[in-house]
Amino acid sequence: SRQAQAPTPPPRYNEEALRNLIRDAERGNAEAQTKLGDCFHEGNSVPQSLPTAFKWFEKAAIQNHPEGLYKLGFMFMHGQGVKQDLEKARKTMELSSQQGYAQASRRLGELCFNTGQRGEGVNFWRLAIEQGDDEAPEVLGR
């Protein structure tokens, strides 16, 4: 039997690397903004702060960064650092999904499925599989 493996934790940043990441994020680099959002979301190398994570994901999302859009949508979906808003969650994740970000497609499947739109949910899960998501097939087994 195949055992599920825990996800690899993100790298911890030393002081210099963290300074560089913050500098790049403040200069508008969407990838750095998303990584910095991850740091604040997880409490990785900085004190955990969901509102600060939300701020950095939002900055990346404004630039149409697919991972930033997904993570912003995830925070809207779960009410992390912001009031829960399933409509905004769906809109941001759809923008991410349209760029081929498979995790967004999988979460959209969950969101639709859990709000009674099962057919649409299954369609998003199928899209996630096409986009290379390796967790979506497990979800289809429900």
Side-chain angles (χ1 to χ4, degrees):
S1 77
R2 221 178 100 199
Q3 285 192 329
Q5 293 184 345
T8 306
R12 294 199 63 80
Y13 293 92
N14 65 35
E15 239 177 271
E16 182 184 0
L18 184 61
R19 263 196 315 274
N20 290 338
L21 183 64
I22 292 168
R23 180 201 64 217
D24 292 346
E26 287 174 344
R27 288 180 178 170
N29 179 304
E31 183 71 27
Q33 290 168 340
T34 302
K35 286 180 181 174
L36 190 55
D38 284 336
C39 288
F40 281 103
H41 189 266
E42 304 301 323
N44 176 357
S45 309
V46 295
Q48 185 179 38
S49 169
L50 296 179
T52 305
F54 180 87
K55 175 187 94 166
W56 286 111
F57 292 145
E58 186 175 43
K59 287 177 182 290
I62 287 168
Q63 298 184 66
N64 211 27
H65 186 271
E67 188 177 359
L69 284 161
Y70 162 69
K71 291 183 173 178
L72 186 69
F74 184 89
M75 293 189 81
F76 274 124
M77 186 174 173
H78 296 284
Q80 295 181 346
V82 67
K83 188 178 186 304
Q84 185 181 42
D85 187 328
L86 298 182
E87 190 176 317
K88 286 182 181 176
R90 181 168 177 152
K91 283 180 184 173
T92 55
M93 286 195 196
E94 281 181 351
L95 290 170
S96 178
S97 171
Q98 289 164 7
Q99 294 183 58
Y101 199 76
Q103 277 183 287
S105 301
R106 177 170 26 99
R107 292 286 180 193
L108 278 165
E110 288 176 24
L111 183 61
C112 290
F113 203 83
N114 292 336
T115 56
Q117 302 163 330
R118 292 175 182 244
E120 201 170 352
V122 169
N123 289 338
F124 276 118
W125 285 333
R126 287 193 177 118
L127 176 60
I129 293 167
E130 288 171 23
Q131 293 170 330
D133 189 90
D134 58 355
E135 292 183 43
E138 294 175 24
V139 182
L140 281 176
R142 284 188 199 177

